[in-house]
Amino acid sequence: MRAGRARAGTRSEPRTRLGRIGLVLFAVFTGVLFSGLGIGGAVGLADGMRYSTRLSGTPGLLRITYCETSGTGKQRHTDCYGVFRSDDHRLTEPYASIGESFKPGTVLPVQRDARSHCYLVGVAPTAGRLAGICAGVVALVGGLAALCGAFATAMPRLGGRIGAALWSPGVGRLLKGLLLACGIGFAVFGVTGVIGWLAMP
């Protein structure tokens, strides 16, 4: 009986080890994915906020001439082109672009960058970007938590010590407050952005 139990325990060890390796790999993949999406999304949206809040670029009006749709599936997107005129009437760009879909003839208040690409300005685009930044922060925290879990699974003793230091009561309260603020911000800015978009032409 003891020999049989020993053999059964020996056979179960590789399965347990393989399961642990699979769990670690899955946690690493999830952590890298969410961390990358969180950082990349938040940085990109924060960069766009420079224009939606008129902190960078040239202010003016964009009259849409035509739109083009390219790509397939998830890569499908629409860009519109038109004539940009700056508010001071010193600059006219006949082939300015904007990464949104509008009807020809629509006139939009925008901010133009050095590459003749325009960004919508106002409450709606700014609130939408703020909501996206909040979601990016939550994704980043989730990704880092997954990476910490993978490290703790791969190296239980050392991982447990590092986890205890990283997730101490003080850090836990800080993260809880950060996630709560991001959740509230996502809801408030998201609703504000949707209302603003519905009011746009």
Side-chain angles (χ1 to χ4, degrees), residues 46-66:
D47 182 68
M49 279 190 62
R50 295 185 302 147
Y51 298 99
S52 66
T53 56
R54 294 190 183 274
L55 295 177
S56 295
T58 305
L61 295 176
L62 176 67
R63 179 181 292 274
I64 301 298
T65 305
Y66 67 97

PDB file of all heavy atoms in Angstrom, residues 46-66:
ATOM      1  N   ALA A  46      -2.754  60.799 -22.907  1.00  0.00           N
ATOM      2  CA  ALA A  46      -2.233  62.004 -22.260  1.00  0.00           C
ATOM      3  C   ALA A  46      -1.588  62.927 -23.284  1.00  0.00           C
ATOM      4  O   ALA A  46      -1.695  64.160 -23.187  1.00  0.00           O
ATOM      5  CB  ALA A  46      -1.226  61.612 -21.179  1.00  0.00           C
ATOM      6  N   ASP A  47      -0.926  62.344 -24.290  1.00  0.00           N
ATOM      7  CA  ASP A  47      -0.330  63.165 -25.342  1.00  0.00           C
ATOM      8  C   ASP A  47      -1.416  63.886 -26.141  1.00  0.00           C
ATOM      9  O   ASP A  47      -1.275  65.064 -26.488  1.00  0.00           O
ATOM     10  CB  ASP A  47       0.508  62.290 -26.277  1.00  0.00           C
ATOM     11  CG  ASP A  47       1.185  63.098 -27.367  1.00  0.00           C
ATOM     12  OD1 ASP A  47       2.095  63.888 -27.051  1.00  0.00           O
ATOM     13  OD2 ASP A  47       0.800  62.952 -28.546  1.00  0.00           O
ATOM     14  N   GLY A  48      -2.516  63.194 -26.440  1.00  0.00           N
ATOM     15  CA  GLY A  48      -3.614  63.820 -27.169  1.00  0.00           C
ATOM     16  C   GLY A  48      -4.295  64.927 -26.388  1.00  0.00           C
ATOM     17  O   GLY A  48      -4.867  65.855 -26.977  1.00  0.00           O
ATOM     18  N   MET A  49      -4.227  64.851 -25.066  1.00  0.00           N
ATOM     19  CA  MET A  49      -4.866  65.884 -24.246  1.00  0.00           C
ATOM     20  C   MET A  49      -4.193  67.238 -24.408  1.00  0.00           C
ATOM     21  O   MET A  49      -4.813  68.274 -24.155  1.00  0.00           O
ATOM     22  CB  MET A  49      -4.856  65.467 -22.772  1.00  0.00           C
ATOM     23  CG  MET A  49      -5.960  64.509 -22.399  1.00  0.00           C
ATOM     24  SD  MET A  49      -6.070  64.270 -20.623  1.00  0.00           S
ATOM     25  CE  MET A  49      -6.451  65.923 -20.068  1.00  0.00           C
ATOM     26  N   ARG A  50      -2.932  67.244 -24.822  1.00  0.00           N
ATOM     27  CA  ARG A  50      -2.264  68.529 -25.060  1.00  0.00           C
ATOM     28  C   ARG A  50      -2.996  69.345 -26.116  1.00  0.00           C
ATOM     29  O   ARG A  50      -3.028  70.570 -26.059  1.00  0.00           O
ATOM     30  CB  ARG A  50      -0.820  68.301 -25.523  1.00  0.00           C
ATOM     31  CG  ARG A  50       0.089  67.646 -24.495  1.00  0.00           C
ATOM     32  CD  ARG A  50       1.491  67.588 -25.023  1.00  0.00           C
ATOM     33  NE  ARG A  50       1.564  66.854 -26.278  1.00  0.00           N
ATOM     34  CZ  ARG A  50       2.429  67.134 -27.252  1.00  0.00           C
ATOM     35  NH1 ARG A  50       3.265  68.149 -27.130  1.00  0.00           N
ATOM     36  NH2 ARG A  50       2.441  66.394 -28.353  1.00  0.00           N
ATOM     37  N   TYR A  51      -3.590  68.619 -27.080  1.00  0.00           N
ATOM     38  CA  TYR A  51      -4.284  69.298 -28.169  1.00  0.00           C
ATOM     39  C   TYR A  51      -5.754  69.552 -27.840  1.00  0.00           C
ATOM     40  O   TYR A  51      -6.297  70.608 -28.171  1.00  0.00           O
ATOM     41  CB  TYR A  51      -4.158  68.466 -29.447  1.00  0.00           C
ATOM     42  CG  TYR A  51      -2.729  68.285 -29.894  1.00  0.00           C
ATOM     43  CD1 TYR A  51      -2.036  67.115 -29.602  1.00  0.00           C
ATOM     44  CD2 TYR A  51      -2.071  69.292 -30.582  1.00  0.00           C
ATOM     45  CE1 TYR A  51      -0.721  66.952 -29.994  1.00  0.00           C
ATOM     46  CE2 TYR A  51      -0.749  69.130 -30.982  1.00  0.00           C
ATOM     47  CZ  TYR A  51      -0.077  67.959 -30.684  1.00  0.00           C
ATOM     48  OH  TYR A  51       1.225  67.805 -31.071  1.00  0.00           O
ATOM     49  N   SER A  52      -6.407  68.583 -27.199  1.00  0.00           N
ATOM     50  CA  SER A  52      -7.828  68.777 -26.885  1.00  0.00           C
ATOM     51  C   SER A  52      -8.041  69.890 -25.869  1.00  0.00           C
ATOM     52  O   SER A  52      -9.120  70.491 -25.811  1.00  0.00           O
ATOM     53  CB  SER A  52      -8.435  67.468 -26.359  1.00  0.00           C
ATOM     54  OG  SER A  52      -7.867  67.105 -25.120  1.00  0.00           O
ATOM     55  N   THR A  53      -7.010  70.193 -25.068  1.00  0.00           N
ATOM     56  CA  THR A  53      -7.094  71.299 -24.106  1.00  0.00           C
ATOM     57  C   THR A  53      -6.418  72.568 -24.627  1.00  0.00           C
ATOM     58  O   THR A  53      -6.241  73.525 -23.880  1.00  0.00           O
ATOM     59  CB  THR A  53      -6.454  70.889 -22.771  1.00  0.00           C
ATOM     60  OG1 THR A  53      -5.099  70.461 -23.001  1.00  0.00           O
ATOM     61  CG2 THR A  53      -7.230  69.769 -22.109  1.00  0.00           C
ATOM     62  N   ARG A  54      -5.983  72.544 -25.904  1.00  0.00           N
ATOM     63  CA  ARG A  54      -5.358  73.693 -26.567  1.00  0.00           C
ATOM     64  C   ARG A  54      -4.038  74.116 -25.927  1.00  0.00           C
ATOM     65  O   ARG A  54      -3.649  75.293 -26.005  1.00  0.00           O
ATOM     66  CB  ARG A  54      -6.317  74.887 -26.621  1.00  0.00           C
ATOM     67  CG  ARG A  54      -7.552  74.656 -27.494  1.00  0.00           C
ATOM     68  CD  ARG A  54      -8.322  75.949 -27.685  1.00  0.00           C
ATOM     69  NE  ARG A  54      -9.544  75.780 -28.462  1.00  0.00           N
ATOM     70  CZ  ARG A  54      -9.594  75.806 -29.797  1.00  0.00           C
ATOM     71  NH1 ARG A  54      -8.479  75.958 -30.495  1.00  0.00           N
ATOM     72  NH2 ARG A  54     -10.751  75.670 -30.432  1.00  0.00           N
ATOM     73  N   LEU A  55      -3.329  73.200 -25.305  1.00  0.00           N
ATOM     74  CA  LEU A  55      -2.025  73.525 -24.740  1.00  0.00           C
ATOM     75  C   LEU A  55      -0.925  73.460 -25.791  1.00  0.00           C
ATOM     76  O   LEU A  55       0.143  74.053 -25.628  1.00  0.00           O
ATOM     77  CB  LEU A  55      -1.690  72.565 -23.588  1.00  0.00           C
ATOM     78  CG  LEU A  55      -2.597  72.656 -22.365  1.00  0.00           C
ATOM     79  CD1 LEU A  55      -2.198  71.604 -21.336  1.00  0.00           C
ATOM     80  CD2 LEU A  55      -2.524  74.047 -21.753  1.00  0.00           C
ATOM     81  N   SER A  56      -1.163  72.721 -26.877  1.00  0.00           N
ATOM     82  CA  SER A  56      -0.200  72.620 -27.971  1.00  0.00           C
ATOM     83  C   SER A  56      -0.945  72.705 -29.292  1.00  0.00           C
ATOM     84  O   SER A  56      -2.148  72.469 -29.368  1.00  0.00           O
ATOM     85  CB  SER A  56       0.566  71.287 -27.894  1.00  0.00           C
ATOM     86  OG  SER A  56       1.371  71.217 -26.741  1.00  0.00           O
ATOM     87  N   GLY A  57      -0.200  73.029 -30.338  1.00  0.00           N
ATOM     88  CA  GLY A  57      -0.785  73.064 -31.667  1.00  0.00           C
ATOM     89  C   GLY A  57      -1.330  74.434 -32.055  1.00  0.00           C
ATOM     90  O   GLY A  57      -1.195  75.419 -31.318  1.00  0.00           O
ATOM     91  N   THR A  58      -1.946  74.469 -33.218  1.00  0.00           N
ATOM     92  CA  THR A  58      -2.504  75.711 -33.769  1.00  0.00           C
ATOM     93  C   THR A  58      -4.020  75.643 -33.755  1.00  0.00           C
ATOM     94  O   THR A  58      -4.609  74.744 -34.367  1.00  0.00           O
ATOM     95  CB  THR A  58      -2.024  75.917 -35.219  1.00  0.00           C
ATOM     96  OG1 THR A  58      -0.593  75.891 -35.258  1.00  0.00           O
ATOM     97  CG2 THR A  58      -2.517  77.242 -35.770  1.00  0.00           C
ATOM     98  N   PRO A  59      -4.685  76.563 -33.075  1.00  0.00           N
ATOM     99  CA  PRO A  59      -6.157  76.535 -33.038  1.00  0.00           C
ATOM    100  C   PRO A  59      -6.754  77.022 -34.347  1.00  0.00           C
ATOM    101  O   PRO A  59      -6.208  77.911 -35.013  1.00  0.00           O
ATOM    102  CB  PRO A  59      -6.487  77.480 -31.881  1.00  0.00           C
ATOM    103  CG  PRO A  59      -5.343  78.441 -31.845  1.00  0.00           C
ATOM    104  CD  PRO A  59      -4.130  77.659 -32.257  1.00  0.00           C
ATOM    105  N   GLY A  60      -7.882  76.437 -34.716  1.00  0.00           N
ATOM    106  CA  GLY A  60      -8.555  76.861 -35.932  1.00  0.00           C
ATOM    107  C   GLY A  60      -9.804  76.044 -36.191  1.00  0.00           C
ATOM    108  O   GLY A  60     -10.290  75.320 -35.320  1.00  0.00           O
ATOM    109  N   LEU A  61     -10.306  76.136 -37.420  1.00  0.00           N
ATOM    110  CA  LEU A  61     -11.511  75.420 -37.837  1.00  0.00           C
ATOM    111  C   LEU A  61     -11.164  74.493 -38.999  1.00  0.00           C
ATOM    112  O   LEU A  61     -10.410  74.861 -39.896  1.00  0.00           O
ATOM    113  CB  LEU A  61     -12.608  76.391 -38.259  1.00  0.00           C
ATOM    114  CG  LEU A  61     -13.171  77.315 -37.171  1.00  0.00           C
ATOM    115  CD1 LEU A  61     -14.173  78.283 -37.784  1.00  0.00           C
ATOM    116  CD2 LEU A  61     -13.810  76.509 -36.051  1.00  0.00           C
ATOM    117  N   LEU A  62     -11.742  73.307 -38.972  1.00  0.00           N
ATOM    118  CA  LEU A  62     -11.548  72.323 -40.036  1.00  0.00           C
ATOM    119  C   LEU A  62     -12.882  72.054 -40.716  1.00  0.00           C
ATOM    120  O   LEU A  62     -13.834  71.617 -40.076  1.00  0.00           O
ATOM    121  CB  LEU A  62     -10.982  71.019 -39.472  1.00  0.00           C
ATOM    122  CG  LEU A  62     -10.823  69.867 -40.466  1.00  0.00           C
ATOM    123  CD1 LEU A  62      -9.755  70.186 -41.499  1.00  0.00           C
ATOM    124  CD2 LEU A  62     -10.478  68.566 -39.725  1.00  0.00           C
ATOM    125  N   ARG A  63     -12.946  72.321 -42.034  1.00  0.00           N
ATOM    126  CA  ARG A  63     -14.147  72.024 -42.811  1.00  0.00           C
ATOM    127  C   ARG A  63     -13.922  70.699 -43.550  1.00  0.00           C
ATOM    128  O   ARG A  63     -13.026  70.595 -44.390  1.00  0.00           O
ATOM    129  CB  ARG A  63     -14.456  73.125 -43.804  1.00  0.00           C
ATOM    130  CG  ARG A  63     -15.703  72.863 -44.664  1.00  0.00           C
ATOM    131  CD  ARG A  63     -15.948  73.991 -45.640  1.00  0.00           C
ATOM    132  NE  ARG A  63     -16.331  75.208 -44.930  1.00  0.00           N
ATOM    133  CZ  ARG A  63     -17.577  75.505 -44.561  1.00  0.00           C
ATOM    134  NH1 ARG A  63     -18.573  74.646 -44.837  1.00  0.00           N
ATOM    135  NH2 ARG A  63     -17.845  76.622 -43.934  1.00  0.00           N
ATOM    136  N   ILE A  64     -14.716  69.709 -43.214  1.00  0.00           N
ATOM    137  CA  ILE A  64     -14.539  68.373 -43.786  1.00  0.00           C
ATOM    138  C   ILE A  64     -14.900  68.376 -45.272  1.00  0.00           C
ATOM    139  O   ILE A  64     -15.976  68.852 -45.657  1.00  0.00           O
ATOM    140  CB  ILE A  64     -15.387  67.332 -43.039  1.00  0.00           C
ATOM    141  CG1 ILE A  64     -15.010  67.296 -41.560  1.00  0.00           C
ATOM    142  CG2 ILE A  64     -15.220  65.953 -43.663  1.00  0.00           C
ATOM    143  CD1 ILE A  64     -13.585  66.892 -41.282  1.00  0.00           C
ATOM    144  N   THR A  65     -13.988  67.811 -46.092  1.00  0.00           N
ATOM    145  CA  THR A  65     -14.224  67.692 -47.530  1.00  0.00           C
ATOM    146  C   THR A  65     -14.653  66.283 -47.914  1.00  0.00           C
ATOM    147  O   THR A  65     -15.623  66.086 -48.638  1.00  0.00           O
ATOM    148  CB  THR A  65     -12.960  68.078 -48.319  1.00  0.00           C
ATOM    149  OG1 THR A  65     -12.535  69.384 -47.928  1.00  0.00           O
ATOM    150  CG2 THR A  65     -13.231  68.055 -49.821  1.00  0.00           C
ATOM    151  N   TYR A  66     -13.914  65.284 -47.416  1.00  0.00           N
ATOM    152  CA  TYR A  66     -14.255  63.892 -47.711  1.00  0.00           C
ATOM    153  C   TYR A  66     -13.639  62.989 -46.645  1.00  0.00           C
ATOM    154  O   TYR A  66     -12.753  63.413 -45.881  1.00  0.00           O
ATOM    155  CB  TYR A  66     -13.751  63.472 -49.100  1.00  0.00           C
ATOM    156  CG  TYR A  66     -12.251  63.424 -49.223  1.00  0.00           C
ATOM    157  CD1 TYR A  66     -11.552  62.232 -49.090  1.00  0.00           C
ATOM    158  CD2 TYR A  66     -11.522  64.591 -49.489  1.00  0.00           C
ATOM    159  CE1 TYR A  66     -10.180  62.182 -49.200  1.00  0.00           C
ATOM    160  CE2 TYR A  66     -10.150  64.554 -49.605  1.00  0.00           C
ATOM    161  CZ  TYR A  66      -9.474  63.350 -49.463  1.00  0.00           C
ATOM    162  OH  TYR A  66      -8.112  63.316 -49.574  1.00  0.00           O
TER     163      TYR A  66
END
